[in-house]
């Protein structure tokens, strides 16, 4: 019986891998509703609207009445937890301290994993992994040196809400009572105190008082409410009950799984997203009224790279490349091995334990496989990036006379081809091609797990170790390539523009909407 509950729990948690509130807004005339749609890209929106125009009325309405940006850049590694952390703090992983879906906690000698797969949880320990996901992520791991958008709005006296977000730290205390299934499977029975925005909703794990008496689709077989359907019902109930806070951030998780299975762009999968958006717009008197009362921000958290059909070819196996080193299997202390791998599916951190292992050797071994995209490490204050297709590395560090399109200054040296950088000698400017914001991405990731090296795969392949899912013939993310990091941003209901948008810039942009 226990096994049955564990399987159900898995089904709920790993959708990604197969297996007093309505106060008038005092500082802005409009409310902001922000919905993050997993794996939604510009290509997906464009293809959907072009091919099957009549099937996407809500998306079409928001696009035609808004500004569309096809090159919203996600942070690296392009995994939901690090992306949501960047979204709510406005900082990169080196500042918010969530290096990825999986990372190596050097101090406590633990692999932290917020939900790669059932197998990963089983091997790392259900109780520990659930504590990491349900409590530690927001309350311990997310750096207290950063402030979240929910905390800043609270300080300005503006109410906010989060629906089905993994990251939601705010200043209002909530007591999460884990559903019975958690107790049956892990023995965790204590209530979990956590700080969130005024309205916090997380499937059947936590329902805010504003929705306490509502009928919501949060049965276990409906993924315990961690679904687009639940998110939509929660939003519409808040609107209809006059409980909508001035800022509401919500997550639609379902497109992720569909795109992993079918590969990008998965037009058919977007159809239900449009149905949900129609329901939300319908909650107002009319769609026009919805945009008169609200700024709608609809965006993707990352893209996905298409994977090759052949499973063995799709798997860039780190156990083969690093066969001469002992890698402790999950369940053993990671530091009992020679190196530690923290896998983020299309990229991985490799952390040397044995003192005699040279960073240079780890990089060279990684580059022996032509399916490798980029390998990077920091040495003597310089970040060095290598490609198996380019003889010389690119070296760069923060500060200097070169400025990229995001206004960041750099000193660069060596081969620009490694990252496909384009420069203008006259203007001393840097433009990105295949690897958007790559200098900042690599710098921040390497500083979020110091002394590690990073390896990332070319599109088509997954960086495999121990329990990494392989969706050959489908899609995957976590890498540095534009296929992984570019998503779409649609802003409707305001003319306020955002230049060269990145997810790291959205917090300031949203706060500015409340300044007017
Ligand atoms: Zn995913």
């Amino acid at each position: 019986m226990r096994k049955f509950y564990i399987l159900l729990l898995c089904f709920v948690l790993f959708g990604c891998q197969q297996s007093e509130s309505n106060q008038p807004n005092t500082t802005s005339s409009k409310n902001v509703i922000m919905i993050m749609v997993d794996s939604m890209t510009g290509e997906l929106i464009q293809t959907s609207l072009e091919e099957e125009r009549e099937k996407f009325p809500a998306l079409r309405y928001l696009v035609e009445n808004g500004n569309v940006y096809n090159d919203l850049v996600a942070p690296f590694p392009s995994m939901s937890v690090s992306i949501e952390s960047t979204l709510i703090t406005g900082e990169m992983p080196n500042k918010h301290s969530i290096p990825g879906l999986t990372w190596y906690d050097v101090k406590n000698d633990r692999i932290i994993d917020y939900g790669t797969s059932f197998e990963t949880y089983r091997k790392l320990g259900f109780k520990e992994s659930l504590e990491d996901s349900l409590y530690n992520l927001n309350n311990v791991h997310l750096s207290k040196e950063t402030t979240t958008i929910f905390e800043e709005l609270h300080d300005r006296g503006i109410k906010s809400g989060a629906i089905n977000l993994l990251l939601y730290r705010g200043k209002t205390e909530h007591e999460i009572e884990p559903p019975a299934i958690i107790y049956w499977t892990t023995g965790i029975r204590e209530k979990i105190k956590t700080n969130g925005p005024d309205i916090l909703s997380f499937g059947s794990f936590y329902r805010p008082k504003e929705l306490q008496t509502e009928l919501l689709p949060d049965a276990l077989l409906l993924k315990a409410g961690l679904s687009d359907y639940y998110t939509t019902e929660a939003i519409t109930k808040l609107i209809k009950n006059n409980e909508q806070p001035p800022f509401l951030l919500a997550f639609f998780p379902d497109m992720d799984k569909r795109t992993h299975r079918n590969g990008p762009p998965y037009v058919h999968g977007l159809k239900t997203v449009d149905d949900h958006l129609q329901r939300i717009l319908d909650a107002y008197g009319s769609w026009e009224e919805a945009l008169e009362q609200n700024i709608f921000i609809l965006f993707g958290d990352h893209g996905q790279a298409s994977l090759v059909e052949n499973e063995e070819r799709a798997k860039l196996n780190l156990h083969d490349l690093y066969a001469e080193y002992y890698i402790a299997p999950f369940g053993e202390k990671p530091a009992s091995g020679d190196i530690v791998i923290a896998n983020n599916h299309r990229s991985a951190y490799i952390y040397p334990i044995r003192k005699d292992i040279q960073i240079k050797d780890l990089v060279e071994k990684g580059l022996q496989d032509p399916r490798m995209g980029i390998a990077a490490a920091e040495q003597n204050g310089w970040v060095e990036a290598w490609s198996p297709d380019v003889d010389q590395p690119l070296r760069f560090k923060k500060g200097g006379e070169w400025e990229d399109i995001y206004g960041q200054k750099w000193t660069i040296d060596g081969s620009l081809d490694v990252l496909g950088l384009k420069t203008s000698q006259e203007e001393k400017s840097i433009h990105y091609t295949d690897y958007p914001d790559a200098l900042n991405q690599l710098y921040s990731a390497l500083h979020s797990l110091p002394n590690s090296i990073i390896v990332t795969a070319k599109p088509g392949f997954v960086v495999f170790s121990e329990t990494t899912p392989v969706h050959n013939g489908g899609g995957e993310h976590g890498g540095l390539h534009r296929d992984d990091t570019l998503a779409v941003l649609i802003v409707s209901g305001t003319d306020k523009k955002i230049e060269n948008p990145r997810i790291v810039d959205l917090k300031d942009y949203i706060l500015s909407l409340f300044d007017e």
Side-chain angles (χ1 to χ4, degrees):
M1 195 61 183
R2 188 164 174 268
K3 196 171 176 201
F4 170 72
Y5 290 131
I6 288 178
L7 279 171
L8 264 182
L9 180 68
C10 263
F11 175 61
V12 168
L13 290 172
F14 306 113
C16 173
Q17 316 305 335
Q18 285 149 352
S19 53
E20 314 119 76
S21 39
N22 193 35
Q23 288 181 348
N25 184 350
T26 50
T27 50
S28 169
S29 55
K30 284 191 173 191
N31 292 327
V32 176
I33 295 187
M34 193 166 183
I35 302 176
M36 184 166 86
V37 182
D38 207 311
S39 303
M40 189 171 72
T41 61
E43 186 192 11
L44 177 63
I45 294 284
Q46 230 167 351
T47 315
S48 303
L49 294 188
E50 274 168 18
E51 285 182 8
E52 303 185 67
R53 216 173 146 75
E54 73 287 351
K55 286 192 181 161
F56 298 93
L59 277 167
R60 195 177 69 232
Y61 184 75
L62 292 175
V63 164
E64 286 176 357
N65 291 282
N67 290 310
V68 181
Y69 307 87
N70 290 317
D71 46 6
L72 174 70
V73 187
F76 168 81
S78 38
M79 283 295 193
S80 295
V81 278
S82 39
I83 294 167
E84 283 186 28
S85 302
T86 290
L87 171 69
I88 68 166
T89 61
E91 299 285 2
M92 296 296 280
N94 58 324
K95 293 280 179 64
H96 64 56
S97 304
I98 307 295
L101 175 70
T102 309
W103 55 282
Y104 176 45
D105 178 353
V106 179
K107 206 169 93 201
N108 297 303
D109 191 22
R110 289 184 62 217
I111 296 279
I112 311 284
D113 186 288
Y114 301 114
T116 289
S117 64
F118 169 71
E119 192 60 4
T120 316
Y121 260 29
R122 188 183 66 76
K123 288 183 165 183
L124 290 173
F126 271 109
K127 191 165 185 286
E128 291 75 12
S129 296
L130 277 169
E131 277 169 353
D132 283 338
S133 304
L134 293 178
Y135 182 77
N136 292 337
L137 176 57
N138 280 281
N139 297 288
V140 180
H141 298 157
L142 186 68
S143 169
K144 295 195 168 56
E145 304 288 308
T146 61
T147 54
T148 71
I149 186 152
F150 304 114
E151 291 165 339
E152 286 190 40
L153 288 172
H154 181 273
D155 290 346
R156 290 194 196 183
I158 299 171
K159 288 195 179 287
S160 62
I163 299 176
N164 279 349
L165 266 285
L166 295 163
L167 271 297
Y168 51 70
R169 197 183 71 198
K171 289 197 168 177
T172 304
E173 192 176 89
H174 302 273
E175 207 171 54
I176 295 181
E177 191 166 358
I181 189 173
I182 298 282
Y183 172 60
W184 295 329
T185 49
T186 66
I188 300 175
R189 69 157 80 225
E190 310 89 56
K191 290 180 178 168
I192 301 167
K193 281 193 175 141
T194 194
N195 290 319
D198 305 272
I199 297 176
L200 175 68
S201 180
F202 190 63
S204 62
F205 289 74
Y206 187 74
R207 192 190 272 211
K209 65 178 184 332
E210 289 81 358
L211 298 173
Q212 215 55 261
T213 57
E214 294 292 345
L215 195 63
L216 287 167
D218 65 353
L220 209 49
L221 287 170
L222 292 171
K223 297 178 74 184
L226 300 177
S227 66
D228 296 4
Y229 180 29
Y230 180 95
T231 302
T232 303
E233 291 303 297
I235 296 173
T236 50
K237 295 262 157 65
L238 288 173
I239 296 168
K240 287 181 175 168
N241 296 349
N242 270 347
E243 300 278 8
Q244 181 191 349
F247 177 65
L248 187 59
L249 178 57
F251 182 42
F252 278 6
D254 295 351
M255 271 303 285
D256 185 72
K257 185 171 64 179
R258 294 175 199 149
T259 315
H260 280 297
R261 279 202 193 129
N262 298 283
Y266 186 51
V267 172
H268 180 69
L270 199 62
K271 175 73 182 62
T272 49
V273 169
D274 198 88
D275 293 340
H276 293 314
L277 292 174
Q278 290 175 46
R279 262 189 72 71
I280 293 168
L281 291 171
D282 285 344
Y284 298 93
S286 67
W287 289 12
E288 289 73 24
E289 212 174 295
L291 279 194
E292 274 160 28
Q293 292 179 27
N294 297 281
I295 297 169
F296 273 89
I297 304 177
L298 191 67
F299 69 110
D301 53 353
H302 51 71
Q304 291 202 18
S306 298
L307 301 185
V308 298
E309 289 286 345
N310 181 289
E311 185 179 347
E312 277 315 301
R313 174 127 180 86
K315 259 165 92 167
L316 202 171
N317 196 331
L318 295 182
H319 295 286
D320 293 344
L321 277 178
Y322 295 101
E324 72 179 76
Y325 301 115
Y326 177 65
I327 301 162
F330 289 160
E332 279 180 22
K333 280 286 178 195
S336 65
D338 298 330
I339 59 172
V340 179
I341 295 175
N343 191 303
N344 285 285
H345 304 186
R346 290 217 342 101
S347 71
Y349 292 99
I350 300 177
Y351 186 90
I353 298 289
R354 238 176 53 205
K355 293 284 170 261
D356 62 321
I357 295 174
Q358 301 289 318
I359 291 280
K360 197 167 152 279
D361 289 341
L362 292 178
V363 169
E364 273 171 14
K365 290 200 165 60
L367 293 176
Q368 281 167 8
D369 194 309
R371 293 171 295 177
M372 192 65 83
I374 304 293
E378 191 177 56
Q379 298 195 88
N380 309 318
W382 289 82
V383 175
E384 295 192 3
W386 293 263
S387 152
D389 308 322
V390 183
D391 290 340
Q392 295 298 316
L394 170 74
R395 302 171 77 232
F396 63 92
K397 56 183 173 185
K398 269 201 162 183
E401 57 177 355
W402 292 89
E403 187 172 322
D404 68 17
I405 60 160
Y406 305 107
Q408 302 164 129
K409 300 269 196 172
W410 303 99
T411 302
I412 46 175
D413 179 37
S415 178
L416 303 177
D417 292 342
V418 173
L419 291 174
L421 300 182
K422 299 280 176 225
T423 53
S424 156
Q425 191 66 39
E426 235 164 70
E427 294 165 8
K428 291 282 177 200
S429 61
I430 303 171
H431 291 263
Y432 298 100
T433 57
D434 281 346
Y435 294 99
D437 200 22
L439 302 181
N440 179 40
Q441 305 264 28
L442 288 175
Y443 175 89
S444 76
L446 286 166
H447 282 248
S448 72
L449 194 49
N451 304 316
S452 62
I453 78 157
I454 285 169
V455 291
T456 82
K458 286 177 182 161
F461 313 106
V462 171
V463 175
F464 178 84
S465 61
E466 197 158 355
T467 59
T468 317
V470 182
H471 303 282
N472 47 303
E476 190 54 89
H477 52 101
L480 185 71
H481 192 270
R482 55 181 286 132
D483 289 359
D484 302 75
T485 59
L486 288 191
V488 70
L489 169 68
I490 303 163
V491 184
S492 316
T494 177
D495 290 333
K496 192 162 185 151
K497 297 252 174 41
I498 175 166
E499 214 186 317
N500 300 322
R502 299 174 301 173
I503 286 178
V504 70
D505 304 317
L506 290 182
K507 179 187 168 197
D508 282 347
Y509 176 73
I510 299 156
L511 288 172
S512 77
L513 296 173
F514 288 98
D515 286 340
E516 290 166 351

